[in-house]
Amino acid sequence: MNLSLNGSLIVAGNERDSFATAVIKNVIVTALCISINYINGILVHTFRKHQIFNMNPRYILFVHLVLNDMLQLALSTLLHIISYALYTISVPFCLILLTFAILTTFNTPLNLAGMAVECYIAVCIPLRHGQICTIKKTYILIGLIWLVSAVSILPDLFVLLATEPLEFFHSKVSCARDYVFKTTYSLQKRDASHIICLVLVWVILHYAYFRILFAAKGASAHIKKARNTLLLHGFQLLLCMFIYARPVFEQGLLIFLPNQYPAVRFASYVFVQILPRLVSPIVYGLRDQTFRRYMRSYILCNVSMSNQPEKVPT
């Protein structure tokens, strides 16, 4: 077995799941993907319909995170299904999927860092918040996030184009990062970029949290909420980091479940790739009173419309 970037289960030989097991696993993954993306879709719809969110840098960064999670989850689910249904796909199509999967995966911790900085400025430098955190600067920050993420994958593409023969791009492969970007340079650069990114984000989160903690002497509700939000961001980042510690985690489970390799891989995939996408709706969709109020109006409206009896045409 091998693992794609986003946890797709690439099974081989006699370790492949039975047809019934494969169907059950893919139905579970697809159902979770649709459910989470439906909730996130309501968040995005709420953001688009109300100017109170469109003019707030905090909500702009949040919705960017939600959209990024939706794309990442959709790609992860698609790669998971492909690994069971098609086994191999054409290299160009695989490169497109992997490129966007890597971009969205790398975007998440950077976006969390940006939200932590905004939260720190709002609490610790409130008088300058309006000057520093403008709408224009927020969109510039989002552009920089995508630029930094692109820098993490573009060198791999250039190395691939320079080292692989033309026949490789007309062939089919198992769509996993280690199968496509398999040079020693790509593997070392991937590990280095992940370490640098995560260390940098953790430093920003810790700095912002402790500065807010020291500012919490007044114990105002706003400061307490900001502090708790940063704790949730840290928890979300911790879940994102499990993708890098996943091999060690799986090896530990296999010590106790040596004959359950496919089950361990699948459970690890759900825990590492899918469940972290539930954190964003919880942080703002449920905890934020403004978002919750507007979201409730849409949900209640949909429920009431679905419960209305159909009119019989006369």
Side-chain angles (χ1 to χ4, degrees), residues 131 164 260:
Q131 299 175 348
E164 292 293 341
Q260 301 295 326

Side-chain angles (χ1 to χ4, degrees), residues 109-110 112-114 116-117 120 194-212 230 233-234 237 241:
L110 297 177
L112 290 173
V117 171
Y120 158 74
H194 288 166
I195 292 173
I196 293 172
C197 172
L198 292 175
V199 169
L200 178 62
V201 173
W202 272 117
V203 169
I204 292 174
L205 279 175
H206 278 82
Y207 177 80
Y209 175 76
F210 284 110
R211 287 300 300 268
I212 292 175
L230 282 182
H233 286 336
L237 181 62
M241 287 177 62

Side-chain angles (χ1 to χ4, degrees), residues 64-65 68 102-112 142 145-150:
H64 174 254
L65 179 65
N68 188 80
I102 294 170
L103 286 173
T104 52
T105 300
F106 209 86
N107 279 345
T108 299
L110 297 177
N111 203 110
L112 290 173
I142 292 174
I145 289 173
W146 281 92
L147 179 62
V148 172
S149 298

Side-chain angles (χ1 to χ4, degrees), residues 260-281:
Q260 301 295 326
Y261 196 50
V264 168
R265 276 293 178 93
F266 178 74
S268 176
Y269 164 70
V270 172
F271 181 78
V272 172
Q273 286 296 334
I274 296 181
L275 293 184
R277 306 298 175 257
L278 281 171
V279 177
S280 294

Side-chain angles (χ1 to χ4, degrees), residues 127-289:
L127 297 180
R128 298 191 59 190
H129 181 267
Q131 299 175 348
I132 300 174
C133 300
T134 64
I135 305 300
K136 181 179 179 180
K137 291 179 180 178
T138 303
Y139 283 112
I140 291 175
L141 175 62
I142 292 174
L144 289 175
I145 289 173
W146 281 92
L147 179 62
V148 172
S149 298
V151 170
S152 72
I153 183 59
L154 287 180
D156 293 330
L157 290 174
F158 295 147
V159 170
L160 187 70
L161 292 171
T163 57
E164 292 293 341
L166 185 61
E167 292 78 12
F168 173 76
F169 298 96
H170 294 287
S171 63
K172 293 185 176 183
V173 294
S174 295
C175 197
R177 181 169 185 169
D178 291 345
Y179 283 169
V180 179
F181 305 111
K182 53 190 176 182
T183 64
T184 303
Y185 163 79
S186 295
L187 296 175
Q188 292 176 346
K189 185 193 67 62
R190 179 197 62 188
D191 295 338
S193 61
H194 288 166
I195 292 173
I196 293 172
C197 172
L198 292 175
V199 169
L200 178 62
V201 173
W202 272 117
V203 169
I204 292 174
L205 279 175
H206 278 82
Y207 177 80
Y209 175 76
F210 284 110
R211 287 300 300 268
I212 292 175
L213 183 64
F214 294 145
K217 295 179 180 179
S220 67
H222 176 64
I223 292 178
K224 287 183 178 180
K225 183 178 179 181
R227 186 180 58 194
N228 292 336
T229 299
L230 282 182
L231 283 176
L232 286 172
H233 286 336
F235 175 68
Q236 188 173 7
L237 181 62
L238 184 64
L239 291 178
C240 293
M241 287 177 62
F242 269 111
I243 192 172
Y244 310 120
R246 182 174 176 177
V248 177
F249 175 70
E250 290 178 353
Q251 291 299 324
L253 288 178
L254 288 173
I255 294 176
F256 302 98
L257 302 168
N259 299 323
Q260 301 295 326
Y261 196 50
V264 168
R265 276 293 178 93
F266 178 74
S268 176
Y269 164 70
V270 172
F271 181 78
V272 172
Q273 286 296 334
I274 296 181
L275 293 184
R277 306 298 175 257
L278 281 171
V279 177
S280 294
I282 291 174
V283 172
Y284 279 91
L286 298 180
R287 291 183 66 252
D288 189 275
Q289 294 181 359

Side-chain angles (χ1 to χ4, degrees), residues 23-33 266 270 274:
V23 170
I24 292 173
K25 288 182 177 180
N26 281 285
V27 168
I28 292 173
V29 169
T30 303
L32 288 172
C33 174
F266 178 74
V270 172
I274 296 181

